[in-house]
Amino acid sequence: MHTQGRMSVLRVLISINIMVSASTNSSLMDRQQRSFILPVEANTSLSEPVDTKAVLSCPPITQKAVLVTIRWEIILRDKPSCTRAYRRDTNETRAINCSDKTISWDSRPDRNPALQINPVAITHDGYYRCEVVTTHGHFYHGYHLTVLVPPDVTLFQLENGTIVCRAAAGKPAAQISWTPGGDCHTVEEPLGNDTVTVQSSCRWEDHRVSKVSCSVSHLTGNRSLSIERNSGDKLPQKFVRILIKKTEVTSVVEEDEMQSYGSYTEKSNL
């Protein structure tokens, strides 16, 4: 009887030891696995207005890590891949297939490996990838860059009374809405360089509508223009009035008979 009791206690102790040992080994393996996990490559979608300066940063380098090399890979549409690299041991930089002078190091790569694009152009749409090699491993960060182009917005009335709001050469295409709403027709015209002209034409049967507004929505900023309706039988021809907001410049120019009355152009400085 005593022998069976001692055997039962011994089995329980062995089971406990096995469980504790397995738990300890599992925790140790988890810590070891976590310590060997490489950093995951990060990618960012970035939108920059045309004719501005864009700065693309590399992954940060920890204080304990020692920099070995930095390499930027630039992939633009219809162009060969461009590589800009820096080696710390020789303090040398090199460029391969990099003909665009507007893309360069933002400063000394040993101090700040960021890449600058100045000024940003439509042709800079593409993928930019920074690879940093240190004594602690390889680190990556990529950018999907989209260049934005603000549309040139005009509002005018035709000879037949139709009012037209045009957002020309924007990237991406702008969206146009009216206040009050009317009988409207909107068309888009791709221009072949990734820009699009959007034109919305409206008529109002209600003669009590004396003033209408056109709102243009775009990623570079929103614009709102207004115009007084002329309901006369014959509208004055070859007259366009251009207002440039914030510069307080007003001028009168001649145009064809199709754009015959009250054209208002507003350009917001964003």
Side-chain angles (χ1 to χ4, degrees), residues 18-235:
I18 292 174
M19 293 173 61
V20 170
S21 177
S23 177
T24 302
N25 291 335
S26 177
S27 299
L28 180 60
M29 291 178 61
D30 289 342
R31 287 195 297 270
Q32 290 176 341
Q33 289 177 354
R34 284 196 295 268
S35 65
F36 286 106
I37 292 176
L38 295 176
V40 178
E41 179 173 354
N43 285 288
T44 301
S45 295
L46 184 65
S47 298
E48 291 288 343
V50 70
D51 296 328
T52 61
K53 177 182 177 180
V55 177
L56 311 181
S57 300
C58 288
I61 302 173
T62 61
Q63 293 181 349
K64 294 183 180 180
V66 177
L67 176 64
V68 179
T69 61
I70 297 170
R71 187 171 72 94
W72 275 99
E73 184 181 12
I74 303 166
I75 303 174
L76 304 179
R77 185 172 53 190
D78 301 327
K79 290 184 179 180
S81 174
C82 158
T83 300
R84 292 188 178 274
Y86 168 75
R87 285 189 58 171
R88 182 179 179 275
D89 58 345
T90 59
N91 196 31
E92 292 179 344
T93 60
R94 63 185 177 122
I96 303 174
N97 292 330
C98 301
S99 58
D100 192 333
K101 303 301 182 183
T102 63
I103 303 177
S104 62
W105 298 101
D106 187 42
S107 63
R108 288 179 47 177
D110 58 329
R111 296 180 179 177
N112 180 13
L115 195 72
Q116 72 164 350
I117 308 172
N118 189 24
V120 174
I122 294 180
T123 54
H124 291 143
D125 270 353
Y127 182 66
Y128 301 73
R129 182 175 182 264
C130 178
E131 176 189 11
V132 176
V133 180
T134 73
T135 52
H136 286 189
H138 293 231
F139 304 88
Y140 305 91
H141 197 108
Y143 297 88
H144 295 278
L145 178 64
T146 300
V147 179
L148 306 177
V149 180
D152 184 18
V153 181
T154 54
L155 178 65
F156 54 90
Q157 186 168 3
L158 300 179
E159 200 172 322
N160 61 5
T162 299
I163 296 180
V164 178
C165 184
R166 178 183 295 159
K171 180 177 179 292
Q175 295 182 332
I176 297 177
S177 59
W178 293 88
T179 304
D183 182 11
C184 303
H185 176 64
T186 302
V187 295
E188 294 187 3
E189 178 188 2
L191 302 182
N193 60 349
D194 289 338
T195 63
V196 180
T197 292
V198 182
Q199 180 169 298
S200 182
S201 305
C202 285
R203 296 183 62 86
W204 288 264
E205 299 298 334
D206 189 349
H207 296 287
R208 293 174 298 177
V209 177
S210 60
K211 183 178 181 180
V212 297
S213 297
C214 160
S215 296
V216 177
S217 301
H218 194 262
L219 292 177
T220 59
N222 301 327
R223 298 161 179 80
S224 182
L225 298 85
S226 299
I227 190 173
E228 298 285 344
R229 291 182 65 206
N230 189 323
S231 56
D233 294 335
K234 188 175 183 180
L235 301 174

